Amino acid sequence: MDWGMESRMARIIRPRSRRGVMLAVDHGYFMGPTRSLERPSETIGPLVDHCDSLMLTRGVLRTSVPASSAVPVVLRVSGGSSIVGADLSDEAITTGMAEAVRLNASAVAMSIFVGAAHEHQTLVSLGRLVDEAEAAGMPVLAVTAVGKELEKRDARYLSLACRIAAEFGAHMVKTYHCEGFERVVESCPVPIIVAGGPKVPEREALELVRSSVDAGAAGVDMGRNIWQSDRPVAMIRAVRSIVHDDASVDEAVASLGAPA
Ligand code: R5P
């Protein structure tokens, strides 16, 4: 791995724990103004010092994160469909590599839709993005998206999707936690980061973080379970305590304190 690539990777997966906490705020690219992310700067502001990296689009980066912030950026560079459109898998690259470099991104992220109508298009886009990213020393995070077909999130499917992403050259893969998640991690030769998913009770979200890292995940990319919580700062700190300091679920829950 060349110096630039390695240096960028180290901003996302921190060398001390070999894990990272990514704060996901890219939902608007296909979901519009998601609850609690209506005014992105107000959501991001209190949380930005507690994450290792921020996953977002260039639009939210430019408008809602001060350039003086030192937070490493994972720039979403794919899109082209929405929750009200015909087919969520119909994505392509929407932000070029020169722009990602200009915005001082530490990685670029795109979705692949294995088994969906536009599987081929998204996989070929991943290959091309990796070619461009390698030339720029820019890590690529492939997101194994399932669109509205949440039932796809089992170990067999996710192992397939993660492995394909790694074979195409992704440097990291973001996927979902599932029953038997160890199998997904074992068969993927690059670090796996776990997406949070829809809001659930805090203990449940922290259990997901604990069992993801126990299975070998290199961290989490969590959004709604942090910023839709009544106490987002306490919640991201609790997530960090598991990811970086190996706190138990009970310890992390206790650290939340009394409900807001
Ligand atoms: C997919 O890449 C999404 O846009 C989010 O980044 C991802 O689902 C993580 O956010 P959440 O924890 O809210 O599911």
Side-chain angles (χ1 to χ4, degrees), residues 24 26-27 29-30 55 76 143 174 195-198 221-224:
D26 62 322
H27 303 60
Y29 94 94
F30 75 108
M55 180 173 177
R76 173 168 281 280
V143 179
K174 177 171 112 171
D221 179 33
M222 191 169 263
R224 289 164 287 182

Side-chain angles (χ1 to χ4, degrees), residues 22-31 34 55 76 109 111 143-145 153 174 176 194-199 221-228:
M22 192 180 292
L23 178 66
V25 288
D26 62 322
H27 303 60
Y29 94 94
F30 75 108
M31 289 166 67
T34 315
M55 180 173 177
R76 173 168 281 280
S111 294
V143 179
T144 66
R153 303 196 297 192
K174 177 171 112 171
Y176 298 99
V194 173
K199 177 80 175 75
D221 179 33
M222 191 169 263
R224 289 164 287 182
N225 278 289
I226 292 173
W227 37 261
Q228 288 180 347

Side-chain angles (χ1 to χ4, degrees), residues 148-169:
K148 293 173 186 164
E149 296 173 74
L150 300 185
E151 72 282 358
K152 271 187 177 173
R153 303 196 297 192
D154 64 18
R156 191 169 174 203
Y157 171 80
L158 295 175
S159 301
L160 171 80
C162 291
R163 179 58 174 267
I164 290 173
E167 299 266 354
F168 271 71

Side-chain angles (χ1 to χ4, degrees), residues 30-80:
F30 75 108
M31 289 166 67
T34 315
R35 180 170 69 81
S36 301
L37 196 54
E38 294 89 346
R39 291 175 295 281
S41 63
E42 290 177 21
T43 304
I44 297 167
L47 296 172
V48 74
D49 289 340
H50 301 283
C51 62
D52 296 311
S53 61
L54 201 52
M55 180 173 177
L56 75 183
T57 59
R58 63 175 158 186
V60 167
L61 180 64
R62 285 175 177 158
T63 57
S64 311
V65 182
S68 56
S69 166
V71 68
V73 165
V74 178
L75 191 68
R76 173 168 281 280
V77 297
S78 72

Side-chain angles (χ1 to χ4, degrees), residues 112 114 123 126-127 130 134 140-144 158-174 184-192:
I112 57 167
V114 172
L123 289 176
L126 174 59
V130 170
E134 289 280 343
V140 173
L141 171 69
V143 179
T144 66
L158 295 175
S159 301
L160 171 80
C162 291
R163 179 58 174 267
I164 290 173
E167 299 266 354
F168 271 71
H171 305 93
M172 297 169 280
V173 177
K174 177 171 112 171
V184 180
V185 176
E186 278 163 17
S187 56
C188 180
V190 298
I192 291 197

